[in-house]
Amino acid sequence: MKSLFLFVAIFPLFLSCQETIKVKEYNVTMSDSEWKNILPQLSYNVLRKSYTEPAFSSSLNFNKKSGYYACRGCENPLYSSENKYESGSGWPSFDREIKNNIEYDVDYKIGYPRTELKCANCGGHLGHMFNDGPNETTGKRHCINGAALIFIEKN
């Protein structure tokens, strides 16, 4: 009888502690095989598997043209060339994003929390944000994998 009482008393508490996990739905969704078919291998690994490309490996790191940088997965405009700067990190760096086109998340993949940056349209991993950017603007550094981007030149 005592066991039944404990069960009746504790079971509702257990149910109330259950957390529902909401999976974000993005405007652009594809199966893993569809992403593999449309993206180059490195871009697939970065955008869909959260890999990091080797430092100084992207030609976009040195791009000085006017235009904007878009998500390679869905062509969502992410960064203006006006906000790109040379951070010396080895990856394209920006001090701010095009409003509402970047999603912020937290990742613990290397043992401590970092601000992960994702495309708000397709959920593709872009890179991370750090607080060591230019003090005269935002103080933020969006450190972005070039393989996650395409550049659209201004006409």
Side-chain angles (χ1 to χ4, degrees):
M1 188 69 176
K2 198 180 213 181
S3 297
L4 180 61
F5 173 76
L6 283 174
F7 177 77
V8 170
I10 295 175
F11 188 70
L13 293 174
F14 174 75
L15 289 177
S16 68
C17 292
Q18 297 298 309
E19 187 177 318
T20 52
I21 298 172
K22 293 181 180 177
V23 176
K24 174 154 177 155
E25 291 189 28
Y26 294 97
N27 293 332
V28 175
T29 57
M30 292 185 216
S31 69
D32 197 52
S33 61
E34 289 173 313
W35 284 117
K36 280 183 179 178
N37 285 334
I38 68 160
L39 293 171
Q41 184 65 47
L42 181 58
S43 297
Y44 168 80
N45 287 340
V46 168
L47 286 165
R48 308 319 307 169
K49 301 298 180 187
S50 301
Y51 287 20
T52 299
E53 69 188 7
F56 300 102
S57 64
S58 172
S59 62
L60 293 179
N61 197 37
F62 308 104
N63 183 27
K64 307 280 190 223
K65 297 176 184 172
S66 291
Y68 67 92
Y69 296 82
C71 175
R72 184 177 285 267
C74 69
E75 299 185 6
N76 184 31
L78 303 171
Y79 296 99
S80 168
S81 61
E82 294 172 5
N83 302 120
K84 186 173 185 280
Y85 71 98
E86 179 52 53
S87 68
S89 67
W91 290 275
S93 298
F94 306 86
D95 68 350
R96 72 195 76 157
E97 75 280 6
I98 294 174
K99 294 281 185 217
N100 301 318
N101 290 357
I102 299 288
E103 175 183 327
Y104 294 82
D105 202 353
V106 178
D107 103 38
Y108 296 90
K109 291 180 183 99
I110 61 173
Y112 60 88
R114 295 183 298 169
T115 302
E116 180 182 12
L117 303 171
K118 298 179 181 179
C119 173
N121 197 44
C122 72
H125 170 79
L126 303 170
H128 294 88
M129 185 179 71
F130 302 97
N131 293 319
D132 60 0
N135 288 329
E136 60 276 3
T137 59
T138 64
K140 305 293 182 194
R141 173 171 54 100
H142 290 222
C143 188
I144 307 300
N145 289 283
L149 302 172
I150 56 171
F151 180 71
I152 311 296
E153 193 168 358
K154 190 185 261 184
N155 293 332

